[in-house]
Amino acid sequence: MIDLGIAIVVTAIIWIMTFLLHELCHILEAMRQGASEGVIRVWKFGPIPSFVAEPEEIKNKFMFGLSGGLYSGIVVGILAVIANMFHYTPFDYAFTALSATNIMYSLFEARYLFRMERSKYMIIHYLIYIAVMAIVTAFYWRRLVGWL
């Protein structure tokens, strides 16, 4: 059994690393498209900090929008399967939730990333995030309660 304190710390690290991986995947896609450089910035939306990828130039905005969530969602999904195989419930929950969120979010990002005003975009972004997290939490609820 994993100690609750360790599980909370590791889960927080998993979440931060996944957000960075998401933005890194955007940058890698921009570089695949020919951009020579890009940065990942922390952008503050109200009280919530968000990471934002800002490449030098983007040729295919659809693929750029799709890449962050899709690529990171696949990588994190593989980690979810591994964690599930070894019955690391708090970690497979975190990986599954973040994988599902990233993949669902990639569809929104691909369509609206460059078409919507930033504040409206971020509000919808967080609503998607909350909705997917609620669905995954409901799915995992019995396992999480049993683990605690």
Side-chain angles (χ1 to χ4, degrees):
M1 174 75 82
I2 299 168
D3 179 61
L4 181 60
I6 292 171
I8 290 171
V9 169
V10 172
T11 301
I13 292 169
I14 289 170
W15 286 55
I16 292 168
M17 295 307 293
T18 302
F19 292 135
L20 287 172
L21 176 64
H22 176 105
E23 299 307 331
L24 177 63
C25 289
H26 282 305
I27 295 294
L28 291 173
E29 175 60 26
M31 289 181 167
R32 188 189 71 75
Q33 293 181 24
S36 59
E37 63 182 57
V39 252
I40 298 174
R41 298 189 192 280
V42 177
W43 184 75
K44 194 165 168 141
F45 175 70
I48 306 169
S50 296
F51 297 106
V52 178
E54 295 180 347
E56 180 183 88
E57 66 180 75
I58 305 163
K59 294 177 183 162
N60 185 338
K61 292 180 179 182
F62 177 82
M63 278 307 296
F64 177 80
L66 187 66
S67 66
L70 185 61
Y71 301 164
S72 63
I74 291 169
V75 170
V76 174
I78 292 168
L79 295 174
V81 169
I82 293 168
N84 196 351
M85 287 172 40
F86 291 101
H87 306 290
Y88 292 143
T89 298
F91 307 134
D92 77 336
Y93 162 73
F95 285 136
T96 301
L98 289 167
S99 176
T101 302
N102 271 295
I103 290 170
M104 293 302 293
Y105 183 61
S106 70
L107 302 173
F108 170 74
E109 250 185 335
R111 175 98 169 113
Y112 297 106
L113 181 60
F114 296 101
R115 297 181 180 167
M116 203 180 276
E117 186 245 319
R118 170 88 62 175
S119 62
K120 183 178 179 183
Y121 176 86
M122 291 306 287
I123 290 169
I124 295 170
H125 159 272
Y126 286 114
L127 289 175
I128 290 170
Y129 184 83
I130 291 167
V132 174
M133 292 303 296
I135 291 166
V136 174
T137 301
F139 176 74
Y140 269 87
W141 185 250
R142 284 183 171 213
R143 288 178 62 186
L144 288 170
V145 169
W147 178 79
L148 292 174

